[in-house]
Protein backbone atom coordinates (compact mmCIF):
# COMPACT_ATOMS: atom_id res chain seq x y z
CA UNK A 1 0.00 0.00 0.00
CA UNK A 2 2.99 2.29 0.48
CA UNK A 3 3.43 2.48 -3.28
CA UNK A 4 -0.08 3.81 -3.91
CA UNK A 5 0.81 7.49 -3.31
CA UNK A 6 1.35 8.26 -7.05
CA UNK A 7 -2.32 7.46 -7.61
CA UNK A 8 -3.41 10.65 -5.81
CA UNK A 9 -1.97 13.16 -8.32
CA UNK A 10 -2.92 10.86 -11.19
CA UNK A 11 -6.53 10.74 -9.99
CA UNK A 12 -6.65 14.51 -9.36
CA UNK A 13 -5.24 15.23 -12.82
CA UNK A 14 -7.65 12.84 -14.53
CA UNK A 15 -10.64 14.37 -12.73
CA UNK A 16 -9.58 17.92 -13.67
CA UNK A 17 -9.01 16.94 -17.30
CA UNK A 18 -12.35 15.09 -17.37
CA UNK A 19 -14.22 18.23 -16.20
CA UNK A 20 -12.34 20.31 -18.78
CA UNK A 21 -13.14 17.78 -21.53
CA UNK A 22 -16.83 17.79 -20.53
CA UNK A 23 -16.89 21.60 -20.65
CA UNK A 24 -15.13 21.74 -24.03
CA UNK A 25 -17.39 19.04 -25.50
CA UNK A 26 -20.51 21.02 -24.55
CA UNK A 27 -18.91 24.21 -25.89
CA UNK A 28 -18.20 22.46 -29.21
CA UNK A 29 -21.79 21.19 -29.32
CA UNK A 30 -23.11 24.72 -28.80
CA UNK A 31 -20.73 26.13 -31.40
CA UNK A 32 -22.14 23.75 -34.01
CA UNK A 33 -25.79 23.29 -33.02
CA UNK A 34 -26.53 26.06 -30.52
CA UNK A 35 -28.65 29.12 -31.05
CA UNK A 36 -27.35 32.50 -29.92
CA UNK A 37 -29.38 35.26 -28.39
CA UNK A 38 -29.08 38.16 -26.02
CA UNK A 39 -29.76 37.48 -22.35
CA UNK A 40 -29.67 39.25 -19.02
CA UNK A 41 -28.23 38.22 -15.65
CA UNK A 42 -31.21 38.18 -13.28
CA UNK A 43 -29.74 36.63 -10.15
CA UNK A 44 -27.61 34.02 -8.49
CA UNK A 45 -28.10 30.63 -6.89
CA UNK A 46 -25.60 29.65 -4.22
CA UNK A 47 -25.11 26.39 -2.35
CA UNK A 48 -22.44 25.34 0.12
CA UNK A 49 -20.20 24.13 -2.71
CA UNK A 50 -21.06 26.17 -5.80
CA UNK A 51 -22.54 29.32 -7.19
CA UNK A 52 -24.34 29.81 -10.47
CA UNK A 53 -25.65 32.81 -12.33
CA UNK A 54 -29.22 32.81 -13.54
CA UNK A 55 -29.57 34.22 -17.03
CA UNK A 56 -32.91 35.09 -18.65
CA UNK A 57 -33.42 34.99 -22.40
CA UNK A 58 -36.18 34.35 -24.91
CA UNK A 59 -36.24 31.78 -27.70
CA UNK A 60 -37.42 32.79 -31.19
CA UNK A 61 -40.79 31.18 -30.35
CA UNK A 62 -41.17 33.66 -27.50
CA UNK A 63 -40.53 31.22 -24.66
CA UNK A 64 -38.81 32.91 -21.69
CA UNK A 65 -36.05 30.76 -20.23
CA UNK A 66 -34.19 31.08 -16.93
CA UNK A 67 -30.99 29.03 -17.19
CA UNK A 68 -28.23 28.43 -14.68
CA UNK A 69 -24.71 29.21 -15.85
CA UNK A 70 -21.74 27.80 -13.95
CA UNK A 71 -18.76 30.04 -14.32
CA UNK A 72 -15.92 31.34 -12.24
CA UNK A 73 -16.51 34.85 -13.57
CA UNK A 74 -19.79 35.18 -11.70
CA UNK A 75 -18.22 37.45 -9.11
CA UNK A 76 -17.48 40.03 -11.81
CA UNK A 77 -21.02 40.01 -13.17
CA UNK A 78 -23.89 42.11 -11.92
CA UNK A 79 -27.63 41.63 -12.08
CA UNK A 80 -28.83 43.39 -15.18
CA UNK A 81 -25.67 42.72 -17.22
CA UNK A 82 -26.48 42.01 -20.85
CA UNK A 83 -24.72 38.90 -22.18
CA UNK A 84 -24.71 36.68 -25.25
CA UNK A 85 -26.09 33.22 -24.59
CA UNK A 86 -25.76 30.06 -26.65
CA UNK A 87 -28.34 27.37 -25.92
CA UNK A 88 -29.40 23.92 -27.06
CA UNK A 89 -32.52 24.45 -29.23
CA UNK A 90 -33.91 21.10 -28.06
CA UNK A 91 -33.39 21.96 -24.38
CA UNK A 92 -33.02 25.74 -23.88
CA UNK A 93 -32.23 25.32 -20.16
CA UNK A 94 -28.89 23.88 -21.31
CA UNK A 95 -27.35 27.26 -21.97
CA UNK A 96 -24.01 28.92 -21.55
CA UNK A 97 -22.93 32.54 -21.56
CA UNK A 98 -20.50 32.85 -24.47
CA UNK A 99 -19.83 36.59 -24.51
CA UNK A 100 -19.71 39.11 -21.67
CA UNK A 101 -17.28 41.87 -20.73
CA UNK A 102 -16.00 39.91 -17.71
CA UNK A 103 -15.85 36.46 -19.37
CA UNK A 104 -12.34 35.01 -19.60
CA UNK A 105 -10.85 31.65 -20.54
CA UNK A 106 -7.86 31.87 -18.19
CA UNK A 107 -9.51 29.57 -15.63
CA UNK A 108 -10.06 26.85 -18.25
CA UNK A 109 -6.44 27.18 -19.33
CA UNK A 110 -5.30 26.97 -15.71
CA UNK A 111 -7.42 23.85 -15.06
CA UNK A 112 -6.02 22.19 -18.18
CA UNK A 113 -2.39 22.99 -17.36
CA UNK A 114 -2.76 22.00 -13.70
CA UNK A 115 -4.57 18.77 -14.59
CA UNK A 116 -1.90 17.85 -17.11
CA UNK A 117 0.90 18.67 -14.63
CA UNK A 118 -0.71 16.61 -11.86
CA UNK A 119 -1.10 13.68 -14.22
CA UNK A 120 2.51 14.00 -15.38
CA UNK A 121 3.83 14.28 -11.80
CA UNK A 122 1.80 11.24 -10.76
CA UNK A 123 3.12 9.23 -13.69
CA UNK A 124 6.73 10.19 -12.91
CA UNK A 125 6.23 9.33 -9.22
CA UNK A 126 4.61 6.06 -10.26
CA UNK A 127 7.50 5.25 -12.56
CA UNK A 128 9.99 5.96 -9.77
CA UNK A 129 8.02 3.94 -7.20
CA UNK A 130 6.99 1.01 -9.38
CA UNK A 131 9.97 0.60 -11.73
CA UNK A 132 12.42 -0.53 -9.06
Amino acid sequence: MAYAYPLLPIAAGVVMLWFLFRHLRFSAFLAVYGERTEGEIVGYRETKTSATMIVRFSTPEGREVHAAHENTGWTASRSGDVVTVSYDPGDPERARIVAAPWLSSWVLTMVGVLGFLLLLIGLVLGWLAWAG
Side-chain angles (χ1 to χ4, degrees), residues 2 13-14 26-27 38 46 65 68 71 86 119 123:
V14 167
F26 184 55
S27 294
E38 190 174 273
E46 294 186 40
V65 178
N71 183 6
S86 184
L119 182 61
L123 291 174

Side-chain angles (χ1 to χ4, degrees), residues 14 23 34 51 55 66-67 71 82 88 93 97 107 113:
V14 167
H23 175 85
V55 61
H66 289 82
N71 183 6
V82 177
D88 179 355
E93 283 78 19
I97 296 170
V107 172
V113 168

Side-chain angles (χ1 to χ4, degrees), residues 43 50 67 112 127 132:
S50 68
W127 179 72

Side-chain angles (χ1 to χ4, degrees), residues 62-107:
R63 177 179 169 203
E64 186 174 283
V65 178
H66 289 82
H69 173 80
E70 294 181 10
N71 183 6
T72 56
W74 69 273
T75 56
S77 66
R78 303 282 180 259
S79 281
D81 281 356
V82 177
V83 296
T84 302
V85 178
S86 184
Y87 65 93
D88 179 355
D91 184 9
E93 283 78 19
R94 289 185 63 206
R96 176 167 293 151
I97 296 170
V98 293
W102 38 261
L103 197 59
S104 173
S105 63
W106 75 269
V107 172

Side-chain angles (χ1 to χ4, degrees), residues 17 19 22 25 28-29 35 50 63 80 85 99 103 113 115 118 132:
L17 292 173
F19 276 108
R22 195 175 126 234
R25 187 181 65 186
F29 170 82
E35 297 286 331
S50 68
R63 177 179 169 203
V85 178
L103 197 59
V113 168
L118 283 171

